[in-house]
Amino acid sequence: MTSPQKLPLVAVIATGGTIASRKGAEGAASPALTGQDLLDLLPPLPLRLRAVELLAKDSSTLTLADMQGISDEVGLQLADPDIAGVVILHGTDAMEETALLVRLQHHAQKPVVFTGAQFSADSTAPDGPANLAHAVQLALSGNGVRLAFGGQVLPVWGLYKAGTDRADAFALAGTADPELPPLPAPIGGLRIDLIAVHPGADAVHLDASLAAGAQGIVLVALGSGNATPQIVAGVTRALAAAVPVVTSSRVPEGVLTPSYGGGGGGHDLQAAGAIHSRLLRPGQARILLAALIANGASSDQIAQAFA
């Protein structure tokens, strides 16, 4: 029989999210359970668990500084020789972003697993306990950053939330998972804006981001990464101000190819200097752009990372 002291130790970092949420008197769900509360719901498992109470937020409210704080805590836990693996309990609205940041900043040689829930802890069929049990067991094998959710195990590059009302909430935009050098510089002080593009869009929002001091911009473009002539002109102004622009798409899946012209298509955006994101959708494109800017990447290096 293995003594408790010799069982592997997994750190479980609590940040809030639906997995920790219950409905209040007004009927709205918000984080109410601690990480230890959630661990106490698990059946006996052949491992030891360390609850790390970091945040209690809905992930829709997380700033880049909050995401950086989560990544920093992951780094601290990974550096502990007693830790076999790390689990992060996180809200689903921004899970794909924080997970990518952790992957970019830590080339983890231990397992790091993100999980959460679609249904609150007091719902009629909460999914959090099963996701958590799966995640802590997954944190004993392999290495690198993965997602355990709804019975699936997924890598985090290209991850996006695909559904709001089903247990298997996440999918992948594609299968690429490139090798990038570590990007350890903190991103908390940066402003990277997403600009939604609609048919016939002008550049008012893009210009407003520039005026607000954005250091990078991601276009949530149409189709395979298309916009309008007005947006192309705005991209030219951004690049003149030394603000990199990345083109992603509101379409959730598939490789994005800058093949259309007409004055505002993806080909025209690329010709104006925008960098085409072949796979990453807007949320993750924002994180990768932030990490590259924080680490002093050149325009060519940014383009290569997105290609």
Side-chain angles (χ1 to χ4, degrees):
M1 183 174 180
T2 304
S3 70
Q5 290 75 21
K6 292 185 178 180
L7 292 173
L9 176 63
V10 174
V12 180
I13 301 172
T15 71
T18 300
I19 192 170
S21 293
R22 286 178 171 167
K23 290 182 179 178
E26 74 285 2
S30 59
L33 300 177
T34 66
Q36 189 60 56
D37 290 335
L38 294 168
L39 295 183
D40 289 342
L41 299 175
L42 293 177
L45 296 168
L47 48 80
R48 293 177 292 146
L49 296 169
R50 173 193 290 173
V52 180
E53 312 292 352
L54 186 63
L55 296 173
K57 286 190 170 187
D58 294 315
S59 67
S60 60
T61 70
L62 295 181
T63 63
L64 290 182
D66 290 327
M67 294 179 191
Q68 184 61 57
I70 295 169
S71 183
D72 290 344
E73 184 60 41
V74 170
L76 288 174
Q77 296 300 325
L78 288 173
D80 185 340
D82 292 334
I83 291 292
V86 179
V87 170
I88 302 96
L89 307 182
H90 199 288
T92 59
D93 283 352
M95 190 179 298
E96 64 214 56
E97 284 98 326
T98 306
L100 182 61
L101 179 64
V102 170
R103 179 204 184 280
L104 294 171
Q105 293 189 329
H106 308 284
H107 279 206
Q109 299 305 305
K110 297 177 182 179
V112 177
V113 184
F114 278 77
T115 197
Q118 284 281 76
F119 311 112
S120 62
D122 57 355
S123 69
T124 56
D127 56 332
N131 285 343
L132 176 54
H134 186 194
V136 296
Q137 293 175 78
L138 189 63
L140 296 178
S141 61
N143 56 47
V145 186
R146 293 169 287 174
L147 173 80
F149 208 102
Q152 298 189 94
V153 178
L154 296 172
V156 300
W157 187 277
L159 190 69
Y160 71 95
K161 186 175 178 180
T164 62
D165 59 357
R166 66 177 196 256
D168 57 336
F170 289 90
L172 294 174
T175 57
D177 195 359
E179 287 294 327
L180 293 176
L183 298 169
I187 67 168
L190 296 178
R191 176 174 184 140
I192 311 296
D193 285 355
L194 297 181
I195 304 296
V197 177
H198 56 78
D202 60 26
V204 168
H205 294 155
L206 193 156
D207 289 331
S209 284
L210 293 175
Q215 291 140 296
I217 290 172
V218 175
L219 299 177
V220 186
L222 307 171
S224 191
N226 304 309
T228 64
Q230 293 90 338
I231 295 292
V232 171
V235 168
T236 301
R237 291 191 291 276
L239 295 175
V243 176
V245 179
V246 170
T247 304
S248 184
S249 174
R250 69 182 189 180
V251 179
E253 295 182 9
V255 175
L256 304 176
T257 304
S259 56
Y260 288 90
H267 179 273
D268 302 314
L269 284 165
Q270 190 174 64
I275 294 166
H276 215 72
S277 175
R278 284 178 55 79
L279 184 68
L280 296 186
R281 268 36 187 193
Q284 288 201 331
R286 176 175 178 251
I287 295 302
L288 178 57
L289 181 57
L292 290 163
I293 290 172
N295 284 272
S298 67
S299 296
D300 287 345
Q301 288 171 325
I302 295 174
Q304 183 60 40
F306 279 96

